[in-house]
Amino acid sequence: MMTVKTTDKNQEYLKLDDLHVNPVLSRCARIVVERAKGSFVYDMNGDAYLDFTTGIAVNNVGHCHPKVVEAVQKQAGQLMHTSVTTHHKPYIDLCKKIAEIAPGRLDSCFLANSGAEAVEGAVKMARYITGRPAIVNFRGSFHGRTMMTTALTTSKLVYREKYEPFPGSIYTMPFPYVYRSSFRNNVEACVEHCLHEIEMMFKQLVHPEQVAAFLVEPVQGEGGYVPAPASFLKGLREIADKHGILLIIDEVQTGFGRTGKMFAIEHYGVEPDIMLMAKGIAGGMPISGFISRRELTQKWQPGRHGSTFGGNPVSCAAALATIDVLQSEKLAERSAKLGKEMMDRLSKLVGKNPHVGEVRGLGMMIGVELNEKDGSPSHDLAEAVAAKCFENKLLVLTCGSHGHVLRLIPPLNISDEEAKQGLDILENAINQVCK
Ligand SMILES: Cc1ncc(COP(=O)(O)O)c(C=O)c1O
């Protein structure tokens, strides 16, 4: 994939990786990154790569934002850990801040370490407070890699294969991925079909009074960067209300300005009962959480859930600084504007290049669907385009069940010039590879 230099320090170090790092951990680019700043990461040779991956939608405020770095350094010198033995100020401040920026009446927060843990915690809370066992998830979803979240993940077989038996009472319904459905150009027919399947599930598979929660991503991430149509999420809200089912919105990948609003669900005018967060929350520090309404969380008795490291003071301080940067630099607005410009430019490829099937997304969460000549999803082309970008020093990931979608997730504060540079590389790569 890359040109090996005679004094390639990456290669020397990668030999150690091959010896000592568990090979299950797959990486997209065979470079060893030593430092990063803004929109660029630098490998051990000092070569710069423009980062359209942001560590999978994490570095929304760019790499090593000075305000986040300062907050981390200051907090590390003051208090690093107490766990549940005491309360601490950054935890309380962050929960208060999240309640301020979260949509609707969400006001009561739990902090954990990773996206999967946030999903696990929310599912436990939903089961506990409703007294119902079943969770309904959607085809193409990704919710994590612990056993429960693996069971809830259906974006790709590699995440599930050979891990059965899974925890039970999970019911998987279709998600309106309109482009790959039999309703290609009819969004509403596709949505109607998906909602009808839920009604059928209540007749054939599980009584609605046994369902604790719907768990859904507002824009499917790993599943192919597929925004849910508004009528679908509104429909889910209605069904949930009718049957006393909780609506859990997974904003792990979509949150913190990524889609042009602080949270993607704000595009939809739908209020979740529980909203999950992680990734972009703290500029690269590990922390996650979920927020609900006090009226619901007070039914979850103290001690029924917890975490040793969750809501660590240093990560909380990083999150507070990150949210401050997102707000003061108006990065959600920036994401909406620049994301639209990027999508407008890339959309011109549709029709011009027969392999580019669809360009879609919300804000700066953009997917480019690549097809074979017969219109089937093309894993090979997506891989080849990503490899060509890498040769030209642009990092790009793929997603989708076939690995056929190029996913663009640049920092939200990327400059216009850097965004153009990245798109030039990407467009050239598509035109060279997809002939
Ligand atoms: C929507 C969504 N939920 C949950 C997760 C799991 O997060 P983590 O890898 O931090 O456990 C991810 C990770 O990509 C995600 O995209």
Side-chain angles (χ1 to χ4, degrees), residues 56 114-117 119 142-145 217 221-222 250 252-253 278-279:
I56 324 187
S114 67
E117 269 184 74
V119 179
F142 186 92
H143 297 292
R145 296 163 191 273
E217 296 160 85
E222 287 292 319
D250 185 342
V252 165
Q253 191 154 165
K279 292 190 185 282

Side-chain angles (χ1 to χ4, degrees), residues 134-138 169-174 193-214 236 239 243 245:
I135 306 294
V136 175
N137 65 336
F138 294 88
S169 288
I170 293 170
Y171 295 86
T172 306
M173 290 288 104
H193 164 75
C194 293
L195 295 175
H196 177 71
E197 286 295 307
I198 294 174
E199 297 297 349
M200 289 310 291
M201 168 182 71
F202 292 152
K203 299 272 181 266
Q204 297 172 324
L205 299 173
V206 61
H207 195 283
E209 282 174 15
Q210 288 299 300
V211 178
F214 291 138
L236 279 187
I239 301 171
H243 299 291
I245 296 168

